[in-house]
């Protein structure tokens, strides 16, 4: 796939597909399934096997969930349940461990901007880009949870529930957190550019290791961060690793439009998908990025089986084990790979360039994606039959950007 300068990358002929990995799966009872391997969750082998399976399906990338607090059945606070999966490994370190074991698939760990520092994150993702030879990205996330803030002791947040998301106080807090995330991404991007390409000379004969003229202070001064730079890690192989974010509403839509290369959205039908795409494209133009490529991926939770009734029965059985019906911010698809292919191709007409699928049970639904859905899309001429690039930007049709500090 050639690099694209279009602001609407890839309505053409191949869909982009990613998988969102969260432990044993997105259903809270997934860990109790025979294929789940809960005893191996904290091993490198589990993650290597899982991401290798995704690469077998020629997927563009995987995202790896992470957070600064334990998983919970409650939206804003911890619970005391002992019958659901709790605990996880660090997503960036998982990606770095698995990178040498894979060759083509992109690796996109989740990072919480609210309590971490751009400088640390920039060099971690730059390092991941080197370890993976150009396949790194990140998913930026914010957090307003009291118990997560208490881990750091630097700030406090008010207590609120799901029903208070539309109150003026919570909306103001949300706007502040996403504005901070925008500053965070800008600081990270400047640090990635703080070394020009070719700054490392490494000439033993002359004794010159670096060209100091090609290192630059970023001098970022924002409302939330002041970052001098330069980075301690040379410019990543991709120049700029891929930045992505999940967005449900207008404020996070603005973060996607202004700062990201990929936005994940959660429409529940094609009409809503079209409206979301239109809103993000309008924000993108308002931000002066109309000429820049920006992917918009639809998120779906998937229960996939060869027969729709089998998929429904499996979901019902898992709901019974969990003690309640499973709900999600994203649409929950229950059916066959062929039926899912129909839906993806229908929603693509709304302007989505790709999809991020969340396997309900990783050990069951990820192989169904890689071994059943992907061949179905290939039969329809809607998905690649081989990897066509060696970097994540290349797979997504994103050109390697020029360095903002380089002088001609």
């Amino acid at each position: 796939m050639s690099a694209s300068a279009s602001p609407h990358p890839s309505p053409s002929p191949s869909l982009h597909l990613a998988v969102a990995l969260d432990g044993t799966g997105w259903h809270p009872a997934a860990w109790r399934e025979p294929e789940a391997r809960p005893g191996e969750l904290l091993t490198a082998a589990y993650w290597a096997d899982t991401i290798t399976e995704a690469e077998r399906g020629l997927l563009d990338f995987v995202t790896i969930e992470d957070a600064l607090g334990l998983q919970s059945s409650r939206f804003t606070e911890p619970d005391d349940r002992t019958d659901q999966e709790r605990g996880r490994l660090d997503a960036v370190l998982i990606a770095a461990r698995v990178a040498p074991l894979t060759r083509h698939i992109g690796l996109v760990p989740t990072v919480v901007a609210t309590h971490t520092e751009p400088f640390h994150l920039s060099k971690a993702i730059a390092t991941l880009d080197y370890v993976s030879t150009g396949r790194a990205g990140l998913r930026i996330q914010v957090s307003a949870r009291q118990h997560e803030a208490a881990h750091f002791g630097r700030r406090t947040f008010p207590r609120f529930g799901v029903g208070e998301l539309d109150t003026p106080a919570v909306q103001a807090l949300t706007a502040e957190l996403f504005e901070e995330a925008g500053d965070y991404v800008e600081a990270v991007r400047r640090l990635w550019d703080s070394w020009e390409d070719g700054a490392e000379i490494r000439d033993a004969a002359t004794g010159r290791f670096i060209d100091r003229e090609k290192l630059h202070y970023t001098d970022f001064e924002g409302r939330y961060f002041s970052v001098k730079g330069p980075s301690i890690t040379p410019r990543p192989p991709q120049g700029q690793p891929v930045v992505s974010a999940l967005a449900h509403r207008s404020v996070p839509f603005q973060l996607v439009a202004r700062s990201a290369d990929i936005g994940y959205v959660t429409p529940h039908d094609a009409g809503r998908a079209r409206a979301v795409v239109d809103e993000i494209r309008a924000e993108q133009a308002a931000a002066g990025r109309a000429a820049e490529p920006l992917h918009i991926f639809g998120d779906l939770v998937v229960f996939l089986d060869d027969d729709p009734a089998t998929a429904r029965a499996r979901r019902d059985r898992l709901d019974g084990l969990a003690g309640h019906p499973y709900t999600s911010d994203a649409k929950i698809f229950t059916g066959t790979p062929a039926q899912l292919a129909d839906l993806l191709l229908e929603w693509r007409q709304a302007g989505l360039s790709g999809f991020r699928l969340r396997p309900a049970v990783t050990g069951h639904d990820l192989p169904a994606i890689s071994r059943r859905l992907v061949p179905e899309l290939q039969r329809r001429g809607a998905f690649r039959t081989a990897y066509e690039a060696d970097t994540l930007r290349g797979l997504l049709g994103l050109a390697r950007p020029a360095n903002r500090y380089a002088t001609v």
Side-chain angles (χ1 to χ4, degrees):
M1 183 182 297
S2 61
S4 168
S6 167
H8 310 285
S10 182
S12 68
S14 179
L15 284 173
H16 294 285
L17 280 182
V19 166
L21 299 176
D22 189 9
T24 59
W26 286 79
H27 193 285
W31 71 277
R32 301 175 69 174
E33 290 292 90
E35 317 97 322
R37 301 167 63 185
E40 300 175 60
L41 263 181
L42 304 185
T43 69
Y46 174 84
W47 291 98
D49 292 347
T50 300
I51 296 173
T52 299
E53 180 63 42
E55 186 170 61
R56 172 181 176 149
L58 307 177
L59 304 188
D60 291 74
F61 59 92
V62 297
T63 61
I64 305 168
E65 291 299 300
D66 207 346
L68 299 176
L70 288 175
Q71 301 95 319
S72 177
S73 58
R74 299 171 183 165
F75 180 65
T76 59
E77 58 189 8
D79 61 16
D80 56 2
R81 297 188 71 147
T82 59
D83 64 332
Q84 294 181 358
E85 185 181 318
R86 296 291 183 265
R88 62 169 94 240
L89 299 178
D90 182 272
V92 175
L93 295 179
I94 290 172
R97 176 65 182 87
V98 173
L101 308 178
T102 55
R103 293 184 57 200
H104 297 286
I105 195 164
L107 303 165
V108 182
T110 296
V111 177
V112 180
T114 309
H115 302 293
T116 61
E117 294 294 332
F119 188 88
H120 294 148
L121 187 275
S122 71
K123 69 186 183 71
I125 300 300
T127 300
L128 176 60
D129 209 39
Y130 276 102
V131 172
S132 65
T133 59
R135 294 181 284 123
L138 67 91
R139 181 173 86 85
I140 202 78
Q141 186 171 262
V142 304
S143 170
R145 295 179 175 89
Q146 283 187 327
H147 64 287
E148 295 184 5
H151 294 321
F152 302 90
R154 297 177 188 165
R155 61 205 296 186
T156 59
F157 294 118
R159 191 187 201 99
F160 63 91
V162 177
E164 298 171 88
L165 290 176
D166 291 323
T167 62
V170 175
Q171 286 187 330
L173 175 59
T174 301
E176 179 179 324
L177 290 174
F178 277 96
E179 182 184 355
E180 179 182 50
D183 273 8
Y184 192 104
V185 171
E186 177 63 18
V188 166
R189 287 193 183 278
R190 291 192 190 196
L191 286 163
W192 286 336
D193 276 349
S194 63
W195 290 55
E196 292 184 39
D197 296 322
E200 308 131 87
I201 301 170
R202 301 174 185 167
D203 188 339
T206 64
R208 295 186 71 206
F209 194 89
I210 62 170
D211 181 347
R212 188 61 185 83
E213 298 300 314
K214 292 188 176 182
L215 270 62
H216 301 275
Y217 295 115
T218 58
D219 289 326
F220 178 77
E221 293 283 350
R223 178 181 171 189
Y224 304 95
F225 303 101
S226 174
V227 182
K228 183 69 175 175
S231 176
I232 63 169
T233 306
R235 194 172 194 233
Q238 293 183 100
Q240 292 275 321
V242 173
V243 176
S244 65
L246 174 64
H248 300 103
R249 296 176 173 221
S250 294
V251 169
F253 289 163
Q254 292 166 8
L255 174 69
V256 166
R258 296 169 185 172
S259 302
D261 302 299
I262 307 171
Y264 314 113
V265 298
T266 55
H268 284 233
D269 57 55
R272 179 58 184 157
R274 186 171 292 104
V276 167
V277 169
D278 288 346
E279 182 173 351
I280 292 175
R281 294 297 180 205
E283 291 288 352
Q284 182 184 1
R289 295 186 67 204
E292 296 180 29
L294 171 62
H295 282 289
I296 305 175
F297 278 36
D299 266 25
L300 297 99
V301 179
V302 296
F303 294 80
L304 293 175
D305 286 284
D306 291 337
D307 179 78
T310 304
R312 287 192 298 270
R314 183 162 62 92
R315 178 178 170 183
D316 290 343
R317 179 171 52 76
L318 287 165
D319 285 350
L321 290 172
H324 57 83
Y326 174 64
T327 60
S328 174
D329 57 321
K331 178 180 176 65
I332 301 172
F333 176 87
T334 306
T336 69
Q339 290 171 330
L340 179 56
D342 291 339
L343 185 147
L344 300 185
L345 295 177
E346 176 193 352
W347 283 22
R348 179 170 67 167
Q349 300 306 311
L352 298 171
S353 56
F355 296 90
R356 188 176 70 140
L357 305 179
R358 308 179 189 178
V361 178
T362 303
H364 179 107
D365 295 297
L366 176 57
I369 292 166
S370 60
R371 306 182 191 201
R372 303 300 302 277
L373 173 65
V374 165
E376 179 66 29
L377 290 169
Q378 289 169 333
R379 280 191 289 272
R380 303 184 191 198
F383 195 67
R384 65 170 62 92
T385 56
Y387 279 114
E388 67 274 52
D390 294 324
T391 68
L392 179 53
R393 294 189 73 91
L395 292 176
L396 294 168
L398 303 174
R400 189 178 189 274
N403 188 312
R404 74 190 67 199
Y405 299 114
T407 56
V408 177

